[in-house]
């Protein structure tokens, strides 16, 4: 991007840094060299999303990342503070349920399938040498069910501890990095002003410009403590629950009051976790340096102590206690599923209420984007949890089919997981309908575009094949705007089918293949086919997650692809789930804002900040963070930008018409380039505002229609990449510099300053 292979790092580290050409290192000391050209700089942030190989393991945290997105997708709201807070509380509760679901799945595998079922059946444990010391056939010290459960609890406990460790480490590296003193923006009252198309209204800073928006240190620490405690309490409930039920059912050496006291302590701990999650949201109007140290220290510690107490209680000797069937407490998965569905429905009601108060036509699905994405996160969590349980059960049972009663050695995972797996083939069949509709619409749109393309290249000799190719690419790029047509019905069907799965599991108490016995040969065969196919598809989905992560761990190119996926998912701060991958913008936005503030204060110069793709979103967010005086010295150049097409539609409270109009009026000038062949970037749609229009496009792509003497080889359709290769890019950049030129100040010694500094944001690709 600096057009020179010899670059020098000006400031930053190996993770993210500012670079210049070697010859421009001391540009500020020699302003006479830059009377006719800018000082180019590039901010490279690619390692924040696709750095070392461990980033590939973030794929396993995908449900946490998705539910965190739901927090930021609320509709625009004005004077609805309580409703906005309720929206945030509901999303945080959905996020908490995902932590409980993940921990419960680990308990299902380690405690139920391995320690309770397989180790309790000699035919299963004898085939697994690593379970031999737990086998009831050997009669060893570990053969008692409670002691097996206490030992197996180390697996989910280690998982929760690992998540706490990763969250704490990334919290120290991202959320705890305080912005440079003196660069904080001015505080405004209304975070989402109404669009002012007259140009006479005051410029009110949007929410992304609040001083504490990119500093979520306190909230993430609180949520980390609560989710860690929830994980430990879930393990403790799984361990102590079976022992408490046994002590209540029979008269034994262990007093039943101990189990009741532990269960009461677990309920009290759960209520404290809920209070912590619901009590406080984000503090954005100022830099909040406080930490709730007692809470973040004692809450996880108390939950861990209770887990140790529960393990000791379960390990108490109980002669004659034998494990049979499934571990008591499999009802937990049904409760989690019902709770998630209820929260999503209430969240949808709240979202619709906010949208009807301040409707914006471009908002996706009438403001239901947040609930839909929250439902998607729950579905992903269910697929991953069910996939692990199903595959481990099949592995432990050998040639048998758990739950079907045919040569099965163990009973298998909870019935609900089999029902949930069975609805996946049905969901795919339903998905085929909107997919087919979009396919036909795309084909018809491509046919309709062909005459327009011929007119755009009217000086060229028509080539039907070339015209069809360009039309097909443009029509396919337009599919991005049709994503709600797929995502909405899929999540709606997932909610209904999930409710049907819970009802089927509760009413029948059997897996679908057995529950449909006697319903006729056709229905029986369909139920069995759906059960087996869904089970393998769930397992395959989880295996794909693991193999993709393993490949990306070793392959830099695959890791780069995952890095691009994370560009959108991890742009937003961790406001709902502390175990989600960290927010790179907590580092990148303060980096850019500090550099722009520091450079303009030092030189009293002007600058053009340009960004491609996700870099344009970072550039806009950094400009919002600038003080008003600095922001008036900035020109903004965006290209291939999803700032309105994706962010404005899916995150209207932060990139909707109000914030974008405020941005347009607060910067010195703004220009946005876009192509019809670009599936990601698009218009900003502020051309109705006063002053020069923002959008320029659609740019011609390809630049050359067919073979010519000057271009004897076919010209590529660039789509989302290589905007700098278009001559329009250089023209618009020069025009922005010219518009800045008349107001360029003088340095203190009377020498001319450099015309401008072009701080180019990364292209959104890992190559930066």
């Amino acid at each position: 991007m600096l057009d020179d292979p010899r670059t020098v790092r000006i400031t930053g580290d190996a993770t993210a840094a500012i670079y210049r050409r070697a010859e421009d290192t001391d540009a500020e000391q020699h302003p006479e060299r830059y009377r006719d050209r800018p000082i180019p700089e590039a901010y490279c942030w690619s390692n924040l999303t696709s750095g070392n190989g461990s980033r590939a393991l973030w794929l396993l945290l995908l449900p946490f990342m998705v539910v965190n997105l739901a927090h930021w997708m609320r509709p625009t709201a004005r004077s609805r503070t309580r409703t906005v807070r309720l929206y945030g509380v509901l999303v945080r509760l959905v996020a908490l349920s995902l932590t409980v679901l993940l921990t419960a799945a680990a308990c299902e595998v380690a405690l139920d399938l391995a320690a309770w079922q397989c180790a309790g059946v000699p035919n299963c444990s004898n085939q697994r040498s690593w379970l031999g010391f737990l086998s009831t056939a050997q009669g060893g010290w570990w053969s008692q069910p409670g002691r097996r459960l206490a030992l197996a609890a180390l697996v989910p406990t280690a998982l929760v501890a690992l998540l706490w460790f990763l969250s704490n480490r990334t919290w120290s590296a991202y959320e705890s990095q305080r912005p440079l003193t003196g660069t904080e923006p001015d505080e405004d009252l209304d975070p989402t002003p109404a669009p002012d198309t007259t140009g006479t209204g005051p410029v009110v800073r949007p929410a992304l410009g609040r001083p504490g928006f990119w500093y979520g240190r306190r909230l993430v620490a609180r949520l980390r403590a609560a989710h860690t405690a929830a994980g430990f309490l879930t393990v403790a409930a799984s361990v102590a629950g079976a022992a408490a039920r046994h002590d209540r059912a029979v008269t034994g050496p262990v007093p039943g009051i101990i189990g009741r006291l532990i269960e009461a302590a677990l309920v009290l701990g759960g209520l404290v976790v809920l209070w912590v999650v619901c009590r406080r949201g984000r503090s954005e109007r100022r830099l909040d340096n406080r930490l709730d140290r007692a809470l973040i220290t004692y809450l996880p510690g108390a939950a861990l102590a209770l887990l140790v107490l529960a393990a000791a209680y379960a390990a108490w000797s109980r002669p004659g206690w034998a494990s049979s069937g499934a571990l008591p407490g499999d009802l937990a998965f049904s409760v989690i599923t019902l709770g998630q569905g209820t929260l999503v429905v209430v969240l949808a009601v709240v979202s619709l209420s906010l949208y009807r108060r301040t409707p914006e036509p471009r908002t996706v699905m009438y403001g239901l984007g947040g609930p839909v994405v929250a439902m998607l996160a729950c579905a992903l969590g269910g697929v991953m949890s069910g996939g692990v349980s199903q595959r481990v059960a099949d592995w432990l049972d050998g040639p048998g089919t758990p739950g079907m009663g045919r040569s099965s050695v163990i009973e298998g995972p909870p019935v609900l997981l089999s029902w949930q797996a069975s609805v996946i083939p049905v969901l795919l069949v339903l998905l085929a309908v909107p997919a087919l509709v979009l396919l036909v619409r795309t084909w018809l749109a491509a046919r309709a575009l062909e005459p327009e393309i011929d007119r755009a290249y009217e000086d060229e000799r028509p080539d039907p094949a070339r015209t069809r190719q360009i039309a097909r690419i443009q029509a396919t790029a337009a599919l991005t705007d049709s994503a709600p047509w797929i995502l909405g019905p899929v999540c709606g069907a997932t909610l209904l089918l999930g409710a049907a799965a819970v009802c089927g599991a509760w009413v029948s108490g059997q897996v679908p293949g057995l529950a449909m016995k006697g319903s006729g040969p056709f229905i029986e065969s369909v139920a069995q086919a759906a059960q087996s196919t869904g089970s393998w598809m769930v397992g395959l989905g989880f295996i794909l997650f693991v193999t993709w992560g393993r490949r990306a761990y070793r392959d830099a190119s695959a890791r780069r692809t995952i890095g691009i996926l994370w560009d959108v998912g991890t742009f937003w701060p961790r406001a709902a789930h502390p175990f989600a991958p960290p927010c790179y913008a907590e580092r990148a936005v303060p980096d850019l804002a500090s550099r722009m503030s520091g450079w303009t204060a030092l030189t009293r110069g002007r600058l053009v900040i340009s960004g491609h793709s996700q870099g344009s979103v970072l550039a806009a967010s950094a400009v919002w963070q600038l003080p008003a005086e600095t922001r008036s010295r900035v020109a903004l150049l965006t290209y291939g930008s999803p700032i309105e097409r994706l962010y404005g539609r899916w995150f209207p409270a932060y990139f909707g018409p109000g914030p974008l109009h405020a941005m347009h009026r607060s910067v010195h000038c703004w220009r946005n380039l876009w192509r019809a062949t670009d599936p990601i970037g698009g218009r900003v749609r502020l051309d109705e505002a006063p002053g020069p229009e923002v959008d320029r496009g659609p740019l011609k792509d390809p630049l050359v229609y067919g073979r010519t003497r000057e271009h004897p080889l076919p010209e590529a359709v660039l789509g989302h990449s290589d905007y700098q290769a278009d001559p329009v890019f250089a023209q618009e950049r020069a025009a922005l510099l010219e518009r800045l030129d008349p107001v360029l100040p003088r340095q203190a010694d009377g020498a001319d300053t450099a015309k401008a500094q072009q701080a180019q944001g990364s292209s959104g690709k890992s190559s930066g």
Side-chain angles (χ1 to χ4, degrees), residues 55 161 413 455 649:
R55 305 292 175 89
R455 285 193 296 269
R649 299 183 66 206

Side-chain angles (χ1 to χ4, degrees), residues 75-76 80 83 347-358 366 368:
T76 301
R80 299 293 300 275
T83 309
L347 186 65
V349 173
V350 173
S351 297
L352 282 176
S353 173
L354 291 173
Y355 178 81
R356 289 174 180 173
R357 183 69 175 267
T358 314
Y366 304 100
L368 291 177

Side-chain angles (χ1 to χ4, degrees), residues 30 161 200 243 261 412 571 574 612:
H30 301 279
T200 59
L261 290 176
F571 168 78
R574 293 185 282 194
H612 171 242

Side-chain angles (χ1 to χ4, degrees), residues 332-377:
F333 285 97
S334 298
V335 174
I336 294 173
T337 302
L338 281 178
Q340 289 178 339
T342 302
L343 288 172
V344 169
V345 171
V346 177
L347 186 65
V349 173
V350 173
S351 297
L352 282 176
S353 173
L354 291 173
Y355 178 81
R356 289 174 180 173
R357 183 69 175 267
T358 314
E360 292 177 350
R362 293 282 295 170
T363 301
V364 297
M365 292 179 284
Y366 304 100
L368 291 177
V372 165
V373 170
M375 187 69 248
L376 177 62

Side-chain angles (χ1 to χ4, degrees), residues 601-741:
L602 178 66
T603 66
R604 292 186 296 170
R606 310 280 173 164
L607 61 86
V608 174
I609 178 167
S610 70
H612 171 242
S613 190
Q614 190 67 18
S616 67
V617 183
L618 286 177
S621 302
V623 170
W624 268 319
Q625 284 285 309
L626 297 175
E629 180 182 0
T630 304
R631 200 162 61 248
S632 63
R633 298 168 177 258
V634 173
L636 182 59
L637 176 60
T638 56
Y639 43 103
S641 174
I643 198 169
E644 195 282 334
R645 188 179 189 183
L646 297 181
Y647 282 83
R649 299 183 66 206
W650 291 90
F651 307 96
Y654 303 94
F655 287 95
L660 292 183
H661 278 85
M663 165 75 74
H664 186 214
R665 300 198 306 273
S666 64
V667 297
H668 189 278
C669 41
W670 182 7
R671 201 69 162 141
N672 177 69
L673 312 180
W674 65 284
R675 297 184 181 124
T677 56
D678 190 339
I680 297 175
R683 298 170 53 195
V684 178
R685 300 177 185 273
L686 298 180
D687 295 345
E688 70 278 5
E693 63 180 8
V694 175
D695 290 315
R696 177 166 179 180
L699 304 184
K700 185 176 289 187
D701 186 32
L703 295 174
V704 179
Y705 178 78
R707 297 174 182 264
T708 64
R709 293 184 181 274
E710 296 80 9
H711 300 275
L713 300 181
E715 195 77 7
V717 180
L718 298 178
H720 186 58
S721 61
D722 293 331
Y723 272 81
Q724 297 94 333
D726 196 310
V728 173
F729 179 85
Q731 296 171 11
E732 292 297 336
R733 181 173 61 181
L736 290 176
L737 292 172
E738 289 298 324
R739 289 166 66 181
L740 286 171
D741 185 60

Side-chain angles (χ1 to χ4, degrees), residues 386-754:
V388 173
S389 301
Q390 295 277 357
R391 296 285 63 78
V392 171
D394 281 343
W395 173 58
L396 291 175
D397 205 27
T401 303
M404 291 299 294
R406 297 176 302 196
S407 66
S408 296
V409 177
I410 61 176
E411 186 167 326
V415 172
L416 176 62
L417 297 183
S418 296
W419 277 88
Q420 289 177 335
S422 300
V423 304
I424 292 180
V426 180
L427 184 63
L428 292 179
V429 172
L430 296 178
L431 177 62
V433 177
L436 181 60
V437 171
L438 287 181
L439 181 63
V440 174
R441 285 182 56 190
T442 302
W443 180 78
L444 293 175
R447 293 292 300 271
L449 284 171
E450 292 179 8
E452 297 182 15
I453 293 171
D454 286 334
R455 285 193 296 269
Y457 296 95
E458 57 185 4
D459 295 335
E460 305 270 357
R461 185 175 61 185
D463 182 352
R466 181 66 162 171
T467 299
R468 283 194 298 270
Q469 177 197 20
I470 300 172
R472 184 176 64 252
I473 293 175
Q474 288 190 11
T476 304
L479 283 175
T480 302
D481 302 319
S482 302
W485 287 84
I486 292 289
L487 196 57
V490 166
C491 290
T494 300
L495 180 64
L496 296 178
L497 290 174
V502 172
C503 294
W506 276 7
V507 171
S508 67
Q510 296 177 317
V511 297
L514 294 179
M516 295 301 172
K517 286 286 187 180
S519 300
F522 177 74
I523 296 179
E524 289 182 18
S525 61
V526 170
Q528 293 180 6
Q531 177 183 331
S532 58
T533 303
S535 175
W536 278 105
M537 292 181 70
V538 167
L540 179 62
F542 179 77
I543 292 173
L544 288 177
F545 273 115
V546 175
T547 53
W548 194 13
R550 183 173 180 271
R551 177 172 174 262
Y553 184 85
R554 298 183 176 185
D555 185 356
S557 62
R559 188 160 64 249
R560 186 170 300 166
T561 302
I562 294 177
I564 296 173
L565 172 65
W566 282 169
D567 282 353
V568 176
T570 59
F571 168 78
W572 297 98
R574 293 185 282 194
H577 208 300
F579 298 156
C583 165
Y584 65 88
E586 299 249 18
R587 163 75 188 271
V589 172
D591 278 358
L592 285 170
S594 299
R595 178 58 177 170
M596 288 189 286
S597 294
W599 189 87
T600 53
L602 178 66
T603 66
R604 292 186 296 170
R606 310 280 173 164
L607 61 86
V608 174
I609 178 167
S610 70
H612 171 242
S613 190
Q614 190 67 18
S616 67
V617 183
L618 286 177
S621 302
V623 170
W624 268 319
Q625 284 285 309
L626 297 175
E629 180 182 0
T630 304
R631 200 162 61 248
S632 63
R633 298 168 177 258
V634 173
L636 182 59
L637 176 60
T638 56
Y639 43 103
S641 174
I643 198 169
E644 195 282 334
R645 188 179 189 183
L646 297 181
Y647 282 83
R649 299 183 66 206
W650 291 90
F651 307 96
Y654 303 94
F655 287 95
L660 292 183
H661 278 85
M663 165 75 74
H664 186 214
R665 300 198 306 273
S666 64
V667 297
H668 189 278
C669 41
W670 182 7
R671 201 69 162 141
N672 177 69
L673 312 180
W674 65 284
R675 297 184 181 124
T677 56
D678 190 339
I680 297 175
R683 298 170 53 195
V684 178
R685 300 177 185 273
L686 298 180
D687 295 345
E688 70 278 5
E693 63 180 8
V694 175
D695 290 315
R696 177 166 179 180
L699 304 184
K700 185 176 289 187
D701 186 32
L703 295 174
V704 179
Y705 178 78
R707 297 174 182 264
T708 64
R709 293 184 181 274
E710 296 80 9
H711 300 275
L713 300 181
E715 195 77 7
V717 180
L718 298 178
H720 186 58
S721 61
D722 293 331
Y723 272 81
Q724 297 94 333
D726 196 310
V728 173
F729 179 85
Q731 296 171 11
E732 292 297 336
R733 181 173 61 181
L736 290 176
L737 292 172
E738 289 298 324
R739 289 166 66 181
L740 286 171
D741 185 60
V743 291
L744 282 174
R746 300 277 182 175
Q747 286 190 352
D749 59 1
D752 287 340
T753 64

